[in-house]
Amino acid sequence: MTDGSTYTETAEHTWVWVVDQEAALNQPGKQHEECVDCPAKRSENTEIPALRDYAVTVTGGTATVAAGTPITRAMEGVEVTVTAQAPGGKHFVKWVVKAGGVTLANETSATTTFIMPANDVTIEAEFAENPVEAYTLTVIKGTASVAAGTPITDNIAQNTVVTVTADAPETGKVFDKWVVLEGNVTLADATKATTTFTMPGNDVKLEATYKDASPSHTHSYGTEWKYDGTNHWHECDCGDKADTAAHSFQWVIDKAATKEATGIKHEECTVCGAKRSENTVIPKDSGSPETGDSSNLIGWLAALFVSGGVLTLLGVSGKKRKESEAE
């Protein structure tokens, strides 16, 4: 070297870009290259392109940056998440990119992501009518309708309220009950000819069953009396009653009273034999008829009748004796 300097290590520069001024929205920045091993610089005041604002238009959905902040505009290189908003009665099908040429993470997922390119993006969510899961209702010996009464001819969606009505029975038959053959449904009342249930998530099969009508009945009351504490009657095996009337009670002596001991009596119906007032005490015989006791009264009357006859005979006999003596 002519300047007398001596170089012992020689190597090429290793350049890296160093930002002097960050680019902003619609405002370019500045940068230069700088060696990582020495202070050498080059490409000074190189322009960094201004950041541009690009629109994100989402039809049938919303857009957010990756962190979840809702956006109406997004810049190049920003990760954007879009979420479909299915209206009632419809379900999401897929995303369709109308403009922007972006690649979606999953176009058939209602929520997907993409990286914002250097241009506007328009994405549309497509929807379709919700599929109706329909099930079959089979009614044996009956008809079916929805709750409003409209007859059912097609398959029925789950949770539909259904009314079933048994067909008119044959002559001599009456409706018995509903039998659930399939479906595990709960009927409002299985013993009524018309009942309701809520359609489950499977097919249903119901059967209306019938039984013989009760034959005509001829009452046979018999001769044996039935009775309670007030009335007596004749009764048919079916429970029907005839000849109902109030009891006709009279006193019956079970044990006559004496001067030394009381007696016992009860009341008994003269028609059916029903008893009441059993073990009623008859006072001891005091020598005079007991008021209200017809049995003792009859005895006294009989005694008086016999006494009167004897006295009459004695009188007639005495009269004849006197007449005989007078002669």
Side-chain angles (χ1 to χ4, degrees):
M1 297 291 292
T2 56
D3 59 2
S5 298
T6 301
Y7 294 94
T8 59
E9 294 183 11
T10 303
E12 293 184 356
H13 293 297
T14 301
W15 301 105
V16 294
W17 285 102
V18 177
V19 175
D20 301 307
Q21 180 182 341
E22 294 282 356
L25 185 63
N26 298 320
Q27 177 67 44
K30 290 181 180 182
Q31 61 183 347
H32 68 273
E33 287 183 287
E34 191 171 293
C35 180
V36 296
D37 297 317
C38 70
K41 298 181 181 180
R42 72 179 185 182
S43 308
E44 295 183 80
N45 295 319
T46 298
E47 185 176 282
I48 301 174
L51 297 180
R52 288 195 54 193
D53 196 11
Y54 301 102
V56 181
T57 302
V58 182
T59 303
T62 59
T64 65
V65 295
T69 305
I71 60 171
T72 55
R73 301 179 71 80
M75 293 180 290
E76 180 181 0
V78 174
E79 185 179 59
V80 177
T81 300
V82 288
T83 301
Q85 296 171 313
K90 294 188 177 183
H91 66 282
F92 170 79
V93 177
K94 64 180 180 179
W95 290 103
V96 178
V97 178
K98 297 293 185 179
V102 298
T103 300
L104 305 179
N106 189 339
E107 68 174 353
T108 59
S109 174
T111 297
T112 187
T113 61
F114 63 92
I115 302 299
M116 190 69 192
N119 55 283
D120 294 337
V121 175
T122 300
I123 299 176
E124 180 180 349
E126 288 189 353
F127 304 97
E129 296 291 336
N130 284 334
V132 176
E133 291 188 84
Y135 303 95
T136 301
L137 170 63
T138 303
V139 184
I140 302 173
K141 298 179 182 178
T143 58
S145 65
V146 295
T150 304
I152 295 172
T153 56
D154 299 323
N155 289 347
I156 308 160
Q158 184 178 3
N159 297 323
T160 299
V161 177
V162 180
T163 300
V164 290
T165 301
D167 291 338
E170 302 172 3
T171 302
K173 300 281 187 179
V174 294
F175 172 79
D176 182 20
K177 61 184 177 181
W178 287 101
V179 178
V180 179
L181 302 179
E182 293 179 14
N184 193 30
V185 298
T186 300
L187 305 179
D189 192 333
T191 61
K192 289 187 176 180
T194 296
T195 186
T196 60
F197 67 93
T198 300
M199 193 71 184
N202 56 281
D203 296 337
V204 174
K205 181 182 289 185
L206 305 176
E207 179 180 7
T209 61
Y210 301 89
K211 61 184 178 180
D212 292 331
S214 299
S216 58
H217 175 69
T218 301
H219 295 303
S220 177
Y221 298 103
T223 58
E224 181 183 357
W225 287 102
K226 303 284 185 179
Y227 56 82
D228 57 20
T230 305
N231 300 311
H232 49 246
W233 61 86
H234 289 118
E235 186 171 301
C236 179
D237 289 339
C238 71
D240 194 62
K241 298 178 181 180
D243 308 322
T244 301
H247 292 303
S248 176
F249 286 110
Q250 71 172 16
W251 285 103
V252 175
I253 303 299
D254 301 305
K255 178 183 176 183
T258 65
K259 291 182 179 180
E260 291 78 18
T262 58
I264 298 175
K265 61 181 178 179
H266 70 272
E267 289 184 286
E268 190 170 306
C269 178
T270 60
V271 178
C272 70
K275 298 179 181 180
R276 71 178 184 185
S277 307
E278 295 184 82
N279 297 317
T280 299
V281 175
I282 303 173
K284 294 179 181 180
D285 188 353
S286 61
S288 60
E290 184 180 308
T291 303
D293 190 337
S294 59
S295 60
N296 285 346
L297 178 60
I298 292 173
W300 279 100
L301 290 175
L304 289 174
F305 178 77
V306 172
S307 299
V310 171
L311 291 174
T312 300
L313 289 175
L314 291 174
V316 171
S317 177
K319 182 179 180 181
K320 286 183 177 182
R321 189 180 301 113
K322 289 179 180 181
E323 289 178 351
S324 176
E325 291 175 355
E327 292 178 356

